[in-house]
Amino acid sequence: MTLDISSAPIASDTTDHAPPSARATAPAAAPAPRASLLRDLPASVVVFLIAVPFSLGIALATGAPLTAGLVAAAVGGLVAGTLGGVPLQVTGPSAALTVVVAGLITQFGWQLTCAVVVVAGLLQLLLGSLRVARAALAVSPAIVHGMLAGVGLTIAIAQLHVVLGGSPQSSALANLVALPGQLSTAHLPALAVGALAIALLFGWPRLSRLPGKAGRFGARATRIPAALVAVGAATGLSAALGLTLARVELPTWEQHGIATLPSLSLLEQHWPTLLAAALTMTVVAGVESLLSAVAVGRMAPGPIDLDRELRGQGIANMVSGLLGGLPVAGGAVRSTANVRAGASSRWSSVIHGVWVLIAALTLSTGFRHIPLAALAALVLVVGLQMVSFAHIRQVHRHREFPVYLVTVLGVVLIDVPLGVLAGGAVAGVLALHRLTRAHVDVVAEPDGSYTVRTHGPLTFAVVPRLSRTLTRIPAGATVAVRHDGSFLDHAAYEELHTWRAGHQAGGGRVSMLTEPHEDDVLDPDGTVRSGSSPGPHRCRAWTPWVGHHCIEQAEDDPHGRLMEGVRGFQQHTAPLIRPELARLAREGQTPSQLFLTCADSRLVTSMITSSGPGDLFTVRNVGNLVPAPYEPGAADDSVAAAVQYAVEVLEVRSITICGHSGCGAMKALLDGVHEQSGPPTPLTRWLRNGRGSLARLRRAPASFAHRAVGDEAEQLCITNVVQQLDQLLAHPSVERRVSEGSLRLVGMYFDFADAQTYVLDPQAGAFVPVSEHRPGTDDPSDTRRRLVLDPPAAGAPAGQPLAA
């Protein structure tokens, strides 16, 4: 997950480790060669403008010749771009290996380091040929994110010394110790140049957020990568003021060092260290590239081949090492910039390599004017962004923060290999702890029977506790043993069945279930009873929802039926989810999605989305309407407030508007309820927010991709979803986030009769079954341009789309 600085907001990638599912559908048809080239050329220029300053900065941070960064960027584009298995992935110098490479150069020199890069590439090629690429995805996300964060902190601390006009020490701990002295003797010209570069790196992408004309100008300006602007402005400032600064010392290509065969005596003396470095480089670069490949595969349609990608990365590292370049890896953020710039094939990455090669051969004089403080500021910001608070929240949510913390501290205080091993050791201990973490509870029932409930995996380590618990049950009692379905090993199985045989021999009765039994019934008081002793009626769990005979018996007391459900939840469900709800109570809500849907009682959002507490920020109203803020007299502050809160405070990453079949609000609109004479009622005033949907129905109705629309009411239901998405874009906070590419809008429709969910496909311009929808194939930054299926007509009335 190499981190690059682009014109997008500076942020680290949040890739998870699940591999993309097998492509069940055929990939999108490849564009014609001419059309592909017209898209790949501009994209290659964008990536090139990012790659050059970043490559020089990484070379500076490692202590390698600065030409090594340019060699790595060119080889990454030309070799890995041609041979890799992920067409839109961009390969270049690896930020995650900065500490490893710096240590090798300090200890063994540059030429021997190049030889280690060659060996690492050979090992990657071998692993790719053995088709073990997906095994790298099994590494714990906490270890990967911890390693990246540790490397980022090490880089940032070291480069802070360069920004202050000094030189970094040999380790992060030494840099921290020397920092107070460096601050007291800071070189002000270098600090000024570095501060300018840092300010531009953080501030440039935010120009698009300015209000009015300034924001529109900023949106055009931010097409230029922030890294290029920062380095260019810092270089211009130093030249204009005639500042005396340390600048890039770019060696001539005749002086450029390449890999040489090390002496046998050196190999015999240091082969364990060199082999460990090569293995570390292989693993770190391989995992980095494969995780980036998974992220790119989710952003762009088309098949990916992880084994081929690993082989391509291996060959690229071999060539880079032979030519005197840094180790390379696929970069998630650089690849994201490639996708967002409109690249359609691997030629974008290849051509970007050509641009880097041309620049390296022809612009060496210009590179020598760049202050080292500017490059150091660039790498410092990259290092800081490798510490992702989003990753920390995710790791903490999955209770793996100790693994993350140990990995970070190990990488910073020791080195990358030992830090990763320490994190892996903690992850193993936590896994073993979870395997042995089981609860055995005995509940005495009012009728004199006992219920034994087990939670978690029952392994040999739990057998002593299980035995002590079971022996406390009186002889001759009726016992129901309920296991939650987790793992049950042979030792625990033998213990349960041995106890069961002994208890039954003493006159007791034992039933052992691993899931709710077919004959279990739920009495109105919430008591679960055996099938042999049914209560007044046999309403099993969920049957009050699907069993009409149960509902009819309780129609005279709907409040009592509600309380029965609450009691059933309190007794059976609450104990299972209490730890998770306690966590949410402590940490607060952090949903990733706003789900706006109708208030219809038949639409159960948690059921159709398979979501739980904390997953969705849900807003429901009559007709799933989003009043446009520019509509006079009809806007509703409650919906606008919820949207603003979700987007600006909760920072959700997607908003879904979900309509449904048989919507009463849509039928009322077709019947003209909102235009009735006389004083308007609250309902008629509210329904006026749907006039834009009626206008769109007449002008450009929405449709399904693979079936006909049932009737006019259904056509209005799906057209209303499209219209509300358009009105949602009129909210400033939504429009800003969508323009940045950090917020995705989704249209959804649920058909009750078929229990089928449809999703609005911007590519097809119609609703498709969710089983055929490929999430992630559309760039969220293009939502404003492609989501709206029909632009507003001239003179469109209030409530019509603003987006074009």
Side-chain angles (χ1 to χ4, degrees), residues 228-240:
L228 184 66
V229 173
V231 173
T235 303
L237 175 66
S238 65

Side-chain angles (χ1 to χ4, degrees), residues 595-663:
F595 197 84
L596 198 152
T597 189
C598 187
D600 193 296
S601 62
R602 299 166 295 176
L603 193 64
V604 185
T605 57
S606 59
M607 181 178 66
I608 67 172
T609 61
S610 298
S611 58
D615 291 340
L616 302 180
F617 185 71
T618 305
V619 175
R620 304 184 67 153
N621 61 52
V622 176
N624 47 274
L625 300 177
V626 183
Y630 51 83
E631 176 98 14
D636 180 85
D637 284 343
S638 66
V639 177
V643 170
Q644 182 180 359
Y645 182 76
V647 173
E648 296 183 0
V649 179
L650 299 179
E651 296 183 344
V652 297
R653 296 190 297 275
S654 74
I655 301 179
T656 299
I657 294 183
C658 180
H660 64 90
S661 60
C663 180

